[in-house]
Amino acid sequence: MDPVRQWREQGYVVVRKVFDAERIARLLPIVEDVWRRSQVREPTAGVPSPPDAPVLFHCNHPEYFADDRSRLAEVLSAGSAERVLDVPRRLFGEEPLFRSFSLWFSPERVSTDGHWHRDTQFLFPQEAEERARFPGFIDSDFGGSSAQFQIALVASDDVEYVPGSHGRWDTPAENAIRRADGAKHWRSNAMPGAVRVALEAGDGVIFNPMGLHRGRYHVDKLRRTFMATLTKTSAPLQDHFVRQPWFLDPGYLDGVPPAQRAFYERFIVHFGDWWRAGSPLESKAG
Ligand SMILES: [Fe+2]
């Protein structure tokens, strides 16, 4: 199916061979090292990442690369590669705007099944408000929203999605799993219509996080996934995720191919004044 049509109708698109074997071979030891370092000190919090946390945000923080900036350039080059931006550009109908890079790793000790959710429920913890605001996320065609592009560095089928759920509210059966009874059933393995997305190493899945989705975090299922979160340039989301003032550091983009720097420079143009001012969070859009 045409990716734009699949995005609109199903809320997710699989993109094959985003990263080739050579890039993966360069990236894997880097992300392993970043992950290890985050267990000692996660620089945005200033404390170690929680043990068995499934995700690390801001794997592009310069503190991880203080002794070898070429590894930072490798991460920034991978995340702005044409194969990463091409399909989102078509889905958005405009240039994608950087939002964040994250890593998803399988846990070392305790396995859990992920919980079914829509990211709107974190924006609006009260279900009545979430439901009232939800149509705005459909009508805006991803304005004020984001796309998550998970690229598997080792083969993974840890993401599950309910096709089409981004464009409508929960069915009663879905709501019974996602939110009912204090969400006590939200790790259910019985979500109707759920699809498990199978990715080979280098493949990626872009999904609309307003749709029903979850991950899987099992010790025996190795997961090494790089995630680029993107918005439309015309609809940036100003929140703590984009507070990344290290982009202002001199030389931060050194080693990134010149043709790819515009992607990050757009990000700096959008949020640089806000970082420089050190002002508190304020809603700029969406
Ligand atoms: Fe999510």
Side-chain angles (χ1 to χ4, degrees):
M1 188 188 287
D2 165 58
V4 175
R5 188 170 158 210
Q6 187 182 2
W7 176 250
R8 290 182 181 280
E9 293 182 4
Q10 300 191 350
Y12 77 103
V13 175
V14 173
V15 185
R16 301 291 175 192
K17 297 182 169 51
V18 182
F19 290 162
D20 61 21
E22 290 74 25
R23 193 187 291 279
I24 292 171
R26 295 194 302 272
L27 271 178
L28 265 177
I30 296 173
V31 301
E32 297 274 2
D33 183 61
V34 167
W35 191 269
R36 265 195 306 276
R37 289 173 188 244
S38 76
Q39 302 292 304
V40 178
R41 179 183 145 88
E42 192 287 297
T44 65
V47 295
S49 279
D52 276 351
V55 64
L56 173 66
F57 300 116
H58 306 311
C59 60
N60 54 306
H61 194 289
E63 189 172 302
Y64 297 123
F65 308 98
D67 52 359
D68 186 353
R69 297 288 282 213
S70 70
R71 295 179 313 139
L72 171 60
E74 186 65 44
V75 170
L76 295 175
S77 299
S80 58
E82 181 58 21
R83 287 288 296 167
V84 174
L85 301 183
D86 171 51
V87 173
R89 183 183 293 123
R90 285 191 270 158
L91 302 184
F92 294 165
E94 61 176 78
E95 285 299 315
L97 182 68
F98 176 70
R99 179 163 164 77
S100 66
F101 290 144
S102 311
L103 300 175
W104 294 89
F105 272 39
S106 42
E108 292 187 356
R109 290 174 296 180
V110 179
S111 297
T112 54
D113 292 328
H115 57 259
W116 286 102
H117 65 281
R118 302 177 184 271
D119 282 12
T120 41
Q121 74 196 66
F122 305 125
L123 298 173
F124 310 111
Q126 299 302 319
E127 183 173 354
E129 186 180 5
E130 185 198 11
R131 185 166 192 167
R133 297 286 291 269
F134 191 78
F137 287 88
I138 301 171
D139 297 342
S140 65
D141 190 22
F142 312 106
S145 178
S146 60
Q148 297 183 354
F149 194 172
Q150 294 203 5
I151 303 162
L153 304 179
V154 300
S156 171
D157 59 356
D158 287 318
V159 170
E160 285 184 275
Y161 200 86
V162 177
S165 59
H166 66 299
R168 55 161 180 76
W169 188 245
D170 301 4
T171 65
E174 290 167 350
N175 196 264
I177 290 173
R178 182 174 76 96
R179 290 207 76 147
D181 304 325
K184 70 180 180 186
H185 307 294
W186 71 346
R187 296 188 196 275
S188 167
N189 293 317
M191 179 61 84
V195 168
R196 189 174 286 289
V197 181
L199 304 175
E200 295 298 322
D203 294 347
V205 59
I206 309 170
F207 63 89
N208 181 335
M210 303 309 152
L212 287 155
H213 64 282
R214 71 166 176 174
R216 179 180 57 185
Y217 315 103
H218 284 191
V219 172
D220 62 343
K221 295 183 176 68
L222 185 71
R223 188 179 188 193
R224 297 289 184 265
T225 294
F226 177 84
M227 181 167 84
T229 305
L230 307 165
T231 63
K232 283 184 166 184
T233 298
S234 64
L237 273 173
Q238 183 166 324
D239 63 7
H240 68 280
F241 274 104
V242 297
R243 190 191 284 279
Q244 298 180 50
W246 52 84
F247 273 86
L248 300 172
D249 293 354
Y252 181 73
L253 297 178
D254 283 359
V256 178
Q260 295 178 216
R261 289 188 193 183
F263 175 60
Y264 299 112
E265 285 161 356
R266 221 166 31 248
F267 180 62
I268 295 167
V269 164
H270 266 275
F271 300 111
D273 286 346
W274 178 52
W275 302 331
R276 286 185 197 94
S279 59
L281 285 173
E282 59 190 64
S283 181
K284 186 176 176 183

